[in-house]
Amino acid sequence: MSREFTPKVVTANDLIEGDAIWLTEDDGWTRDMAQAELIEDEAHGQLRLLHALSQHSVAVGAYLADAQLGECGPQPVHFREIFRTRGPSNHAHGKQESA
Amino acid sequence: MYHYNDFDTAFVRNRVAQFRAQVGRRIDGSLTEDEFKPLRLMNGLYLQLHAYMLRVAIPYGTLNSRQMHQLAMIADRWDRGYGHFTTRQNIQYNWPKLRDVPDMLEALADVGMHAIQTSGNTIRNVTADHFAGAAADEVADPRPVAELLRQWSTDHPEFQFLPRKFKIAVTGAKADRAVIRSHDIGIQIIEKDGETGYRIIIGGGLGRTPMVGKVIRDFLPSADLLPYAEAIVSVYNQLGRRDNKFKARVKITVHEHGIDEIRRLVEERFALIRSGFSGVDQQLLNGIEAAFAPPAFDAAPIGPYAAAYGADPVFRSWADTNLSRHRAPGYAIVSISLKKHGATPGDASSKQMRVMADLAERFGHDELRISHEQNVILPHVRQGDLPAVHAALKAADLATANIGLISDIIACPGMDYCALATARSIPVAQEIATRFDELKLEHEIGPLKIKISGCINACGHHHVGHIGILGLDRAGVENYQITLGGDGTETTVIGERAGPGFAADAIVPAVERLIRAYLFLRSGPGETFLQTYRRLGLSPFKSALYDEVRADAA
């Protein structure tokens, strides 16, 4: 039996800035993961990923990452994705600067 | 030191212009990422977790003050005001924007630098002993050979698509400070019956399958270096596995075919191509050697040194820890620690880069070195100038007296930056250094090398750390494995895995238990951690790591 599908977001890096971005429901990209589209259906997830991969003048290296619904919207599950919403731990650079 | 000739300058400028056009085509949509990626990697541009990263080559770790000033300028103008020095003697900028990168490369070309072949399946930046040209124990300066290899390997048409990346290191001394036995090719300059030549070692490497390099030629006459190196890479280029990335490095080729068979094939190839090297390479080498002629050492009175050493305990502690013996009387080699307790190993701010550049210009014959241990070296300083150098370093937060001690940790960028990492390395290094500084035990512990990698690729050289730490992802949680007894010198040994890994909040206490066990077990203050480990083996250290925990759990 295949594993049960867990909720996902589509994420990538911005072509110019290089930072983490997330796909929104209206086909845009956001730098705030809470604004991203939370995908709860596997087939829909594949379609959204295909859409993201076609946006090669905006987004680089799109993939599906596990997410869960928090109070304000989708939140990361894995620590790597938590770091991507924040920035490095040794300097207050990256997304945490403007947070 | 070597200065670019017209050919080098034109080549590097040309490459910048090419890359500028490629970036333009990527941004206007003419190139897809699949098309662009190999082009950016050829020019040292990675895409990491939070941003692009530009890796700039510092060939054999040698810089002059003008180049260091330019690195500082680039950090301020296009990055976040700092740079990260790496275990390949390179510098990495962590925050460039794609459209700025051609300008950054142009600024590097202005001072005879580039980012070419700092990535990809090519021959990477050739590294060398960071004390080259200064060490008292040296047969010859390894940098002319390293520069010859840089020129030969840069854009070498046969070697742009090797099975995997290829790393070469050179040392001119018996004491191996360049980790040559962990390289694809390690070269040691030696003397035999009054003749200078090379011992050639191949098939060393860390990563997923660590291997100690094997001697392929015990003595290679100096005139044969390039044809022999070309024969090795050529044999590897044909035999190396392209079916499996994890088995593609030359260490696996050597392991699978055996060193004797590889030697036979290399010698066969060497015999075939040798005559093609008409001696032009040797003429080139002569010119390069002239460029690396040592500065005119003029021993000034060491008076101020002796006075400061007697009067100032802070200076004395720094001098005892951070100076090494120089070949010229009245001189010393200064190691500047980029490992202030709690700071990121290998990071230097632009302000610190400028201070180091100014010191090199004023007191150091205009030379700086980057060590694979992520520190900066002033190779030629008059002993009499040391108190002034120390005072300037102190004012710039660069006078930490910890070279070779427990807080002088190698750490890769880990998951704070790297897209390949499976766990963070930097915070572990920061916490270990902070903890042992609090305990004030560092100097009592003595020589100890801790090396931390944030994934199996081992950029942090954990396999050859006396204590090695490898960060992994275990079921979605950071977990740290310890290896013990590794050694990256002329007596290279791959460390032994101690046992199950530790959670992020348990790794520093685990290291502390190891150190307390060592202090208890050593035969006296003169016996180093590594010596104690070699005398007693893994068992008592394993007990220190796990018994107490097991007792707690019971």
Coordinates of all heavy atoms in Angstrom, one line a residue, chain A residues 2-36:
Chain A
S2 N 0.5 2.2 -0.8 CA 1.4 3.4 -0.9 C 1.1 4.3 0.4 O 0.0 4.2 1.0 CB 1.0 4.2 -2.1 OG -0.3 4.6 -2.1
R3 N 2.1 5.1 0.7 CA 2.0 5.9 1.9 C 0.9 7.0 1.7 O 0.7 7.5 0.6 CB 3.3 6.6 2.2 CG 4.2 5.6 2.9 CD 5.6 6.2 3.1 NE 5.6 7.4 3.9 CZ 6.7 8.2 4.1 NH1 7.8 7.8 3.5 NH2 6.7 9.2 4.8
E4 N 0.2 7.3 2.8 CA -0.8 8.3 2.8 C -0.2 9.6 2.5 O 0.9 10.0 2.9 CB -1.5 8.3 4.2 CG -2.9 8.9 4.1 CD -3.5 9.1 5.5 OE1 -3.1 8.2 6.4 OE2 -4.2 10.0 5.7
F5 N -0.9 10.4 1.6 CA -0.4 11.7 1.2 C -0.5 12.7 2.4 O -1.5 12.7 3.1 CB -1.3 12.2 0.1 CG -0.8 13.6 -0.4 CD1 0.3 13.6 -1.2 CD2 -1.5 14.7 -0.1 CE1 0.8 14.9 -1.7 CE2 -1.0 16.0 -0.6 CZ 0.1 16.0 -1.4
T6 N 0.6 13.4 2.7 CA 0.6 14.4 3.7 C 0.6 15.8 3.1 O 1.1 15.9 2.0 CB 1.8 14.2 4.6 OG1 3.0 14.2 3.8 CG2 1.7 13.0 5.5
P7 N 0.0 16.8 3.7 CA -0.1 18.1 3.1 C 1.2 18.7 2.7 O 2.3 18.4 3.3 CB -0.7 19.0 4.2 CG -1.4 18.0 5.1 CD -0.6 16.7 5.0
K8 N 1.2 19.5 1.6 CA 2.4 20.0 1.0 C 2.3 21.4 0.6 O 1.2 21.9 0.4 CB 2.8 19.2 -0.3 CG 2.9 17.7 -0.2 CD 4.3 17.3 0.1 CE 4.5 15.8 0.0 NZ 3.9 15.0 1.1
V9 N 3.4 22.1 0.4 CA 3.5 23.3 -0.3 C 4.5 23.2 -1.5 O 5.3 22.3 -1.4 CB 3.9 24.5 0.6 CG1 2.8 24.9 1.6 CG2 5.2 24.2 1.3
V10 N 4.3 24.0 -2.5 CA 5.3 24.1 -3.5 C 6.3 25.2 -3.2 O 5.9 26.3 -2.9 CB 4.7 24.3 -4.9 CG1 5.8 24.5 -6.0 CG2 3.8 23.2 -5.3
T11 N 7.6 24.9 -3.2 CA 8.6 25.9 -2.8 C 9.7 25.9 -3.8 O 9.9 24.9 -4.5 CB 9.0 25.8 -1.4 OG1 10.0 26.8 -1.1 CG2 9.7 24.4 -1.1
A12 N 10.4 27.0 -3.9 CA 11.6 27.1 -4.9 C 12.5 28.2 -4.4 O 12.3 28.8 -3.3 CB 11.0 27.4 -6.2
N13 N 13.5 28.6 -5.2 CA 14.3 29.7 -4.9 C 14.0 30.8 -6.0 O 13.9 30.4 -7.1 CB 15.8 29.4 -4.9 CG 16.2 28.6 -3.6 OD1 15.8 27.5 -3.4 ND2 17.0 29.2 -2.7
D14 N 14.0 32.0 -5.6 CA 13.8 33.1 -6.5 C 15.0 33.3 -7.5 O 16.1 33.2 -7.0 CB 13.6 34.4 -5.7 CG 13.4 35.6 -6.6 OD1 12.3 35.7 -7.2 OD2 14.4 36.4 -6.9
L15 N 14.7 33.5 -8.7 CA 15.8 33.5 -9.7 C 16.8 34.6 -9.4 O 18.0 34.3 -9.5 CB 15.2 33.7 -11.1 CG 16.3 33.9 -12.2 CD1 17.1 32.7 -12.4 CD2 15.6 34.3 -13.5
I16 N 16.4 35.8 -9.1 CA 17.3 36.9 -9.0 C 17.9 36.9 -7.5 O 19.1 37.0 -7.4 CB 16.6 38.2 -9.3 CG1 16.0 38.2 -10.6 CG2 17.6 39.4 -9.1 CD1 17.0 38.2 -11.8
E17 N 17.0 36.9 -6.5 CA 17.5 37.1 -5.2 C 18.1 35.8 -4.6 O 18.9 35.8 -3.7 CB 16.3 37.5 -4.2 CG 15.6 38.8 -4.6 CD 16.4 40.0 -4.2 OE1 17.0 40.0 -3.1 OE2 16.5 40.9 -5.0
G18 N 17.6 34.6 -5.1 CA 18.0 33.3 -4.7 C 17.4 32.8 -3.4 O 17.7 31.8 -2.9
D19 N 16.5 33.6 -2.8 CA 15.9 33.2 -1.5 C 14.7 32.3 -1.7 O 14.2 32.1 -2.8 CB 15.5 34.5 -0.7 CG 14.5 35.3 -1.3 OD1 14.3 35.3 -2.6 OD2 13.8 36.0 -0.6
A20 N 14.2 31.8 -0.6 CA 13.1 30.8 -0.6 C 11.8 31.6 -1.0 O 11.5 32.6 -0.4 CB 13.0 30.1 0.7
I21 N 11.0 30.9 -1.9 CA 9.6 31.5 -2.2 C 8.7 30.3 -2.2 O 9.1 29.1 -2.4 CB 9.7 32.2 -3.6 CG1 10.3 31.3 -4.7 CG2 10.4 33.6 -3.5 CD1 10.3 32.0 -6.0
W22 N 7.4 30.6 -2.1 CA 6.3 29.6 -2.0 C 5.2 30.0 -3.0 O 4.9 31.1 -3.2 CB 5.8 29.5 -0.6 CG 6.8 28.9 0.4 CD1 6.9 27.6 0.7 CD2 7.8 29.6 1.1 NE1 7.9 27.4 1.6 CE2 8.5 28.6 1.9 CE3 8.1 30.9 1.2 CZ2 9.5 29.0 2.7 CZ3 9.2 31.3 2.1 CH2 9.9 30.3 2.8
L23 N 4.6 28.9 -3.6 CA 3.6 29.1 -4.6 C 2.3 29.4 -3.9 O 1.9 28.7 -2.9 CB 3.4 27.9 -5.5 CG 2.5 28.0 -6.6 CD1 3.0 29.0 -7.7 CD2 2.3 26.6 -7.3
T24 N 1.5 30.5 -4.4 CA 0.2 30.8 -3.8 C -0.9 30.2 -4.6 O -0.6 29.8 -5.8 CB 0.1 32.3 -3.7 OG1 0.2 32.9 -5.0 CG2 1.1 32.9 -2.8
E25 N -2.1 30.3 -4.1 CA -3.2 29.7 -4.8 C -3.5 30.4 -6.1 O -3.9 29.8 -7.1 CB -4.5 29.9 -3.9 CG -5.0 28.6 -3.4 CD -6.2 28.8 -2.4 OE1 -7.3 29.3 -2.9 OE2 -6.0 28.6 -1.2
D26 N -3.2 31.7 -6.2 CA -3.5 32.5 -7.4 C -2.3 32.5 -8.3 O -2.1 33.5 -9.1 CB -3.9 33.9 -7.0 CG -2.9 34.7 -6.2 OD1 -1.8 34.1 -5.9 OD2 -3.1 35.8 -5.9
D27 N -1.5 31.5 -8.3 CA -0.4 31.3 -9.2 C 0.8 32.3 -9.0 O 1.6 32.5 -9.9 CB -0.8 31.4 -10.7 CG -1.6 30.1 -11.1 OD1 -1.7 29.2 -10.2 OD2 -2.2 30.1 -12.2
G28 N 0.7 33.0 -7.9 CA 1.9 33.9 -7.6 C 2.9 33.2 -6.7 O 2.7 32.1 -6.4
W29 N 3.9 34.0 -6.3 CA 4.9 33.5 -5.4 C 5.0 34.4 -4.2 O 4.9 35.6 -4.4 CB 6.3 33.4 -6.1 CG 6.3 32.4 -7.2 CD1 6.0 32.6 -8.5 CD2 6.6 31.0 -7.0 NE1 6.1 31.4 -9.2 CE2 6.5 30.4 -8.3 CE3 7.0 30.2 -5.9 CZ2 6.8 29.0 -8.5 CZ3 7.3 28.8 -6.1 CH2 7.2 28.3 -7.4
T30 N 5.1 33.9 -3.0 CA 5.2 34.7 -1.8 C 6.5 34.4 -1.1 O 7.1 33.3 -1.2 CB 4.0 34.4 -0.9 OG1 4.2 35.2 0.3 CG2 3.9 33.0 -0.5
R31 N 7.0 35.4 -0.3 CA 8.2 35.1 0.6 C 7.8 34.7 2.0 O 8.6 34.5 2.8 CB 9.1 36.4 0.6 CG 9.8 36.6 -0.8 CD 10.8 37.6 -0.7 NE 11.8 37.4 -1.7 CZ 11.6 37.6 -3.0 NH1 10.5 38.1 -3.5 NH2 12.6 37.3 -3.9
D32 N 6.4 34.7 2.2 CA 5.9 34.4 3.5 C 5.2 33.0 3.4 O 4.1 33.0 2.8 CB 4.9 35.5 4.0 CG 4.2 35.1 5.3 OD1 4.6 34.1 5.9 OD2 3.3 35.9 5.7
M33 N 5.7 32.0 3.9 CA 5.2 30.7 3.7 C 3.7 30.6 4.2 O 2.9 29.8 3.6 CB 6.0 29.6 4.5 CG 5.6 28.2 4.2 SD 6.5 27.0 5.1 CE 5.6 25.6 4.8
A34 N 3.3 31.4 5.2 CA 1.9 31.3 5.7 C 0.9 31.7 4.6 O -0.3 31.4 4.7 CB 1.8 32.2 6.9
Q35 N 1.4 32.5 3.6 CA 0.5 32.9 2.5 C 0.5 31.8 1.4 O -0.3 32.0 0.4 CB 1.0 34.2 1.9 CG 1.2 35.3 2.9 CD -0.1 35.7 3.5 OE1 -1.1 35.9 2.8 NE2 0.0 35.9 4.8
A36 N 1.2 30.7 1.5 CA 1.3 29.8 0.4 C 0.0 28.9 0.3 O -0.8 28.9 1.3 CB 2.5 28.9 0.6

